[in-house]
Amino acid sequence: MSTASVVVEYHEEPDKSDGDSKLYRALTLSNGLRAMLISDSYIDEPSIHRTSRESLNSSTENFNGKLAACAVLVGVGSFSEPQQYQGLAHFVEHMIFMGSEKFPVENEFDSFVTKSGGFSNAHTENEETCFYFELDQSHLDRGMDLFMNLMKAPLMLPDAMSRERSAVQSEFEQTHMRDEVRRDQILASLASEGYPHGTFSWGNYKTLKEGVDDSSLHKEIHKFWRDHYGSNRMVVALQAQLSLDELEELLVRHCADIPTSQQNSIDVSQLNYQKAFRKQFYRDVFLVQPVEDVCKLEMTWVLPPMKDFYRSKPDMFISQLIGYEGDGSLCAYLRHRLWCISVVAGVAGSSFDSNSIYSLFNICIYLSDDGFDHLDEVLEATFAAKTLNEDDSNTIITNYYQIGPSDLKMECIMDLVELIVEEPFFNQLRTQEQLGYSLGIHQRIGYGVLAFLITINTQETKHRADYVEQRIEAFRSRMAELVSQMSDTEFKSIRETLISGKKLGDTSLDEEVLRNWSEIVTKEYFFNRIEAQIQVLSNLTKEDVLNFLNDNDKNNLRKLSVQVVGNHNQTSNSTAQASRSGSLSDLLDDGQDDMAYETDSAKPMTEKIKLEFLGESDDPSSIKDIYAFKKDLYVFPVFNTNPNIAKKS
Ligand SMILES: [Zn+2]
């Protein structure tokens, strides 16, 4: 089959980072199957198999060290399973692997993949089922043949059903003792009538065996496969060290004849997140005896689906504010009273927590015994923090000053500058000007490019964002002056402080791991960075620092100011709630008020969390379109700050 007759559309090449040398091609076939081809061909071959001639004998010739990977995402999951067969979607995922018309031997695909140095697996979510495998590239063609035939015409024979049912049962037995799985199932039991998330998506003997007629179940799994496992509902990703054309040829040969399905994916457009759970969800408190040795308080809010907001991620913003551990945070407040160990907040990644109908925002507080005894006060503090967020006056401004490709000397100079200006920075902006209690100045190296950041968290009701930005800039312009005002003795003493700090080494295993791991992630492998810095620092003079700052200010000043601006007009209501003391039942009443407000009010949550770009539209210095702005930028190549590794340019 020629590929030209089968490919109906080539899509725009996806955005990728400059450090990514892989090639991508996105396309749609005539049967509606969408695919992403990823060519690794320009990555250097691993040398492990070339070290000695002996290793190229017959036992290793099957494995040339190049791995290929393939995944099929089918747009169906437990949301589509019939009420009377809970766990059916998961069961079908298992049955698919039990042989195809062309390759009828059970588990033939699995054993082939294992023998070819790879692995395969699958998982079922609420709206998606994903199958994937990885194997030595020389076996990719046959692997795809075996795999795609499971998609095209799986046997799913009656006598395989009992074996796979026990597999599903044993998975259930392994997971049902996990607290988060049990929590999901409690919440699922509170789903409203007619909403698909009320299902028991794991499945077990109780839902797939007891009182279930095997021939009906057999008919049901084939119907489920026919209805949903169509090429028009599939996305394939294929990655190997082959050219894009070779990958396309493989894709077309193995996937162009996958049949389409008649049914479309489940329509959730009429379902509303505000009605997704019954009243009991908002009213009741569940006291659960945990399996793990842990004491925690969980509060869950139902939000609109966050994937509609994936570009702006408002939930991440709220989770940062609530999960923040610094001064003035909920966590700091509770820890100070020895009531909590940690606070975790956000929308979790599982499809029960976030799907096309709703997203669940969860605040989880790990309590001490004492915290459990003060549950009322813990709840009160949490609701106060949450209310502040709804009517949030918090403004966060980060000015990013880009310096350019970094080297060891610049890194050390900026370390010194940070230490020199830190105290005047706090004294000026926090103590004297009272711009905010949370502020900081830090250097940052990203992809070898050095910058420093100044961040201030303030309240819009106290100081407007524009004003705070001006004050940051005023301080920044005085940094060189602050250095020049130092006596030589002061300079040397600060330099010694920095050096002895670095000589202390890592204070915990965590710190050591993170430091080394970041060298691996950035591919700099500069594991003796600190020793090298100490060497450079010992020879740095005040003039070096001064020349660097002056030169940067004159010739190289680049600033990006990112401002998240809070609500200027704080309502009296939220202030009252935040300061009022209340009992557990009062607070739960508040929770219900919130819910009533969301249900009845003309202003749904989707509007409350809308992202709005501020600034004058004709002002060239403010960014109205982030993507257009980013496209226009000159991008530095990836630099390596490790002097032992030759610089790319
Ligand atoms: Zn499974």
Side-chain angles (χ1 to χ4, degrees), residues 90 93-94 121-124 167-168 171 202:
H90 180 205
E93 172 231 291
H94 276 248
N121 211 338
H123 57 89
T124 305
V168 166
E171 271 179 44
W202 293 94

Side-chain angles (χ1 to χ4, degrees), residues 208-220:
L208 296 169
K209 191 176 177 189
E210 288 170 23
V212 172
D213 172 49
D214 265 14
S215 72
S216 310
L217 181 65
H218 183 248
K219 279 200 194 93
E220 206 61 49

Side-chain angles (χ1 to χ4, degrees), residues 594-612:
D594 281 358
M595 184 227 169
Y597 170 75
E598 281 171 24
T599 321
D600 305 335
S601 154
K603 196 179 164 200
M605 184 67 84
T606 31
E607 270 175 46
K608 287 193 213 170
I609 52 177
K610 204 171 73 181
L611 185 76
E612 183 188 354

Side-chain angles (χ1 to χ4, degrees), residues 192-400:
S192 299
E193 195 71 36
Y195 278 70
H197 57 284
T199 191
F200 168 59
S201 58
W202 293 94
N204 61 10
Y205 279 160
K206 211 174 170 64
T207 62
L208 296 169
K209 191 176 177 189
E210 288 170 23
V212 172
D213 172 49
D214 265 14
S215 72
S216 310
L217 181 65
H218 183 248
K219 279 200 194 93
E220 206 61 49
I221 59 175
H222 278 270
K223 178 175 171 0
F224 191 86
W225 171 77
R226 267 197 319 277
D227 284 349
H228 303 293
Y229 276 62
S231 54
N232 48 328
R233 307 267 297 272
M234 288 178 183
V235 181
V236 173
L238 184 59
Q239 175 166 355
Q241 292 188 37
L242 298 169
S243 72
L244 287 172
D245 288 342
E246 288 169 301
L247 290 169
E248 185 174 315
E249 191 275 328
L250 274 170
L251 177 83
V252 165
R253 191 150 44 80
H254 294 296
C255 300
D257 58 345
I258 297 178
T260 58
S261 69
Q262 297 306 314
Q263 283 213 22
N264 292 320
S265 52
I266 181 173
D267 178 17
V268 297
S269 60
Q270 298 308 309
L271 303 179
N272 185 331
Y273 76 93
Q274 290 168 330
K275 298 187 179 132
F277 291 91
R278 290 184 279 121
K279 281 239 152 55
Q280 210 189 345
F281 176 98
Y282 305 93
R283 196 188 56 210
D284 288 3
V285 176
F286 294 86
L287 298 170
V288 180
Q289 182 82 56
V291 179
E292 296 148 47
D293 181 18
V294 70
C295 178
K296 61 184 178 180
L297 171 69
E298 287 200 29
M299 280 159 279
T300 305
W301 283 263
V302 188
L303 303 185
M306 282 302 122
K307 67 177 187 180
D308 297 346
F309 303 94
Y310 79 98
R311 283 192 190 279
S312 54
K313 298 181 176 55
D315 56 310
M316 302 278 271
F317 180 62
I318 303 171
S319 98
Q320 285 291 316
L321 285 174
I322 294 179
Y324 177 65
E325 298 191 349
D327 286 353
S329 67
L330 173 65
C331 183
Y333 175 87
L334 297 173
R335 271 186 190 158
H336 183 73
R337 283 156 186 77
L338 306 179
W339 290 342
C340 98
I341 296 137
S342 63
V343 177
V344 183
V347 176
S350 84
S351 67
F352 183 78
D353 284 282
S354 198
N355 51 57
S356 307
I357 303 170
Y358 62 80
S359 287
L360 299 179
F361 188 91
N362 189 39
I363 300 179
C364 176
I365 301 173
Y366 287 84
L367 294 169
S368 62
D369 289 349
D370 210 26
F372 185 71
D373 291 339
H374 292 83
L375 210 48
D376 271 6
E377 287 109 313
V378 172
L379 278 164
E380 183 182 1
T382 311
F383 274 78
K386 182 225 164 220
T387 311
L388 279 174
N389 279 315
E390 267 181 15
D391 241 335
D392 197 356
S393 63
N394 270 299
T395 283
I396 299 177
I397 296 167
T398 292
N399 277 11
Y400 173 92

Side-chain angles (χ1 to χ4, degrees), residues 399-405 449-452 552 556-560 634 636:
N399 277 11
Y400 173 92
Y401 296 93
Q402 187 185 61
I403 293 167
V449 174
L450 181 69
F452 67 97
N552 192 58
N556 192 37
L557 195 62
R558 285 188 296 277
K559 174 180 83 176
L560 175 71
Y634 164 77
F636 282 117

